[in-house]
Every structure is written in structure tokens, then in C-alpha cells.
Amino acid sequence: MRIPFLSMFMTSPFDSLQEHAEKVKECAWVFQHAIECHMVHNCKSFDGLRDEVKRMEQEADAIKRRIRGHIPVGSLMAVPKFQLFRYLREQDSVLDALEDTLDWISYREEPGIPEQFQKEFFLLIDSVIDPVEELSRMVAEARKYFRGYSDKQRKVVKEIIRNIRKQEHEADRAEDIVKKKVFTAETDPVTVFHMIRLAETLGHIADHAENAGDMMRAMIAR
């Protein structure tokens, strides 16, 4: 028989997990603003937005350390620590992928993302942000599940996980469309390499969101 989290801790680890998920979502919004700014000629605020992403990533790291360091030793937990930490690692990897993408795009200021590829990149960016936004909703609903273990609430969490998986597949398709267009375009090899690597780095954002969903699925499994 599982033991409700709140009966074991003054503060549930899921409270901080929710805080971390909200930070990831906020960071994704700033990231989206930054990369869209980069596509605009003479963008003046890209570096400032990139710095903001880095600052938020550091704040998320502090939350992560708090989660890892404040689970009482020897406490009985409804979810094994290793599952909780594996989930946290994937959720945190979303932030790393956001930061990696901005780093990569900054290495080549001109021509940035050529106009001929921008439409496809906009669609890819939107598709990788969607599953990230779902993470905070998933954690919020999981918190409710671990308070009462109702079948109805478990189905809500599972439905969100299925939606994240579907969104990740849509991101894969958007990534493929970008790659096909880049490889068939008449452009220089350096631009091809930069665009293909950028598409793959963007794809990793959705990959980690899906992995987090899989970890949550394991935590609510019976």
C-alpha cells in the first residue's frame, strides 16, 4: 500500500518539483522570444534575453539542489527517490537544451537563420515549446494524484503524458521538414551545417519533455 506524500513530509517534494516546472515554462517563453528576435534583422535584445535564460537556468538549478538535498534520509516514500530524481533530471535537461540552442544560434550572427528557412523554423520552435508548457500542468495534476490516489486523477495525468508524446512526434515531423528543406536548398555548406545542427538541438527540447513524461508515467504506475 502506498503512503501519501503529505503524511510523510512537512513539505512534499512535488511542491518544489512544481516550482521547478514553472521555472522551465517561464524560461521557454523567454527562449522563444529570444530566438524569434534573432530572426529579425538588427535584433538588439537577443543577448539580454539570452542572459535572462541563463539566469533562470541558475535559479532552476538552485531549486533542483534543494529537492535533492532536503528529502529526509530513511523516510518512507510513495515514489522511489531514484524515480523522482530521474524525472527531475529530464525536466532539468529541457533547460539545458534551451540554453544550448541559444548558444549555438549565437555562434553565427550573419546571416543567422536565412529568410528562406524561417517559416519552417517558426513552426519547429512552436512545436517544441508546446510539450514544455505541458510539463507544469502534468506536475500540478500529479501532485493532486499523490494526495488521494484516485483513478480519475491518475487518468488525467496519463492523458497529459499521451498529449506530450503526441506533441513530441509533431516536433519530430517539423524537424524533418526543416532538414529536407535545408538539404535541398542551394546554399553554402556552412549554412547547411548550422541549420541542421540547430534543428537537431531544437528537437532535443521536445525529446527531454517526452522523457520527463515517461518518467512521470513510471511514478504513477501501479
Side-chain angles (χ1 to χ4, degrees):
M1 178 180 177
R2 293 191 176 201
I3 302 172
F5 264 13
L6 293 182
S7 68
M8 302 304 302
F9 302 103
M10 292 296 289
T11 302
S12 164
F14 271 77
D15 293 344
S16 295
L17 210 59
Q18 178 76 62
E19 186 182 356
H20 187 273
E22 292 296 330
K23 188 65 67 178
V24 172
K25 184 171 72 174
E26 292 171 17
C27 196
W29 289 340
V30 178
F31 162 84
Q32 188 172 18
H33 191 185
I35 201 167
E36 288 176 354
C37 174
H38 187 83
M39 292 187 191
V40 177
H41 188 57
N42 288 329
C43 170
K44 302 296 183 185
S45 57
F46 176 78
D47 288 340
L49 293 167
R50 184 180 169 206
D51 289 343
E52 189 172 352
V53 167
K54 290 180 181 294
R55 178 185 61 76
M56 297 176 81
E57 195 272 340
Q58 291 171 356
E59 292 174 355
D61 275 348
I63 299 169
K64 180 177 64 178
R65 288 192 295 272
R66 189 200 317 151
I67 294 172
R68 288 175 172 171
H70 288 76
I71 294 180
V73 176
S75 296
L76 294 176
M77 293 182 61
V79 176
K81 285 183 184 179
F82 83 91
Q83 284 189 337
L84 188 74
F85 291 163
R86 286 183 68 186
Y87 174 83
L88 179 60
R89 184 179 65 186
E90 288 299 334
Q91 188 166 271
D92 195 65
S93 293
V94 172
L95 287 170
D96 294 336
L98 293 172
E99 195 172 1
D100 289 346
T101 301
L102 292 184
D103 287 345
W104 179 254
I105 201 172
S106 72
Y107 296 153
R108 196 165 188 246
E109 295 183 1
E110 296 293 341
I113 298 176
E115 188 173 350
Q116 61 181 320
F117 305 132
Q118 288 186 1
K119 177 184 175 182
E120 288 73 19
F121 268 103
F122 272 126
L123 293 174
L124 175 56
I125 293 163
D126 287 344
S127 69
V128 304
I129 295 298
D130 288 343
V132 175
E133 292 180 335
E134 284 290 88
L135 290 180
S136 62
R137 191 165 76 91
M138 179 180 68
V139 175
E141 296 299 335
R143 288 173 70 192
K144 297 176 186 174
Y145 169 70
F146 285 115
R147 290 186 185 122
Y149 296 99
S150 75
D151 288 338
K152 181 180 179 181
Q153 189 58 34
R154 184 167 176 268
K155 288 177 182 176
V156 171
V157 179
K158 289 174 67 177
E159 181 58 34
I160 297 172
I161 295 169
R162 278 193 290 271
N163 194 41
I164 290 174
R165 192 173 296 137
K166 179 181 176 184
Q167 290 170 330
E168 193 278 336
H169 292 164
E170 290 172 355
D172 281 346
R173 282 196 290 271
E175 182 182 333
D176 287 343
I177 290 171
V178 168
K179 288 180 175 178
K180 286 175 182 175
K181 181 151 187 177
V182 171
F183 275 126
T184 56
E186 294 183 0
T187 187
D188 62 282
V190 175
T191 297
V192 170
F193 175 67
H194 192 235
M195 293 298 99
I196 294 297
R197 175 75 180 276
L198 178 60
E200 291 175 343
T201 309
L202 280 163
H204 292 162
I205 297 169
D207 292 341
H208 288 300
E210 183 188 34
N211 292 343
D214 290 341
M215 293 301 102
M216 183 62 76
R217 181 71 181 82
M219 286 196 286
I220 66 171
R222 293 175 173 169

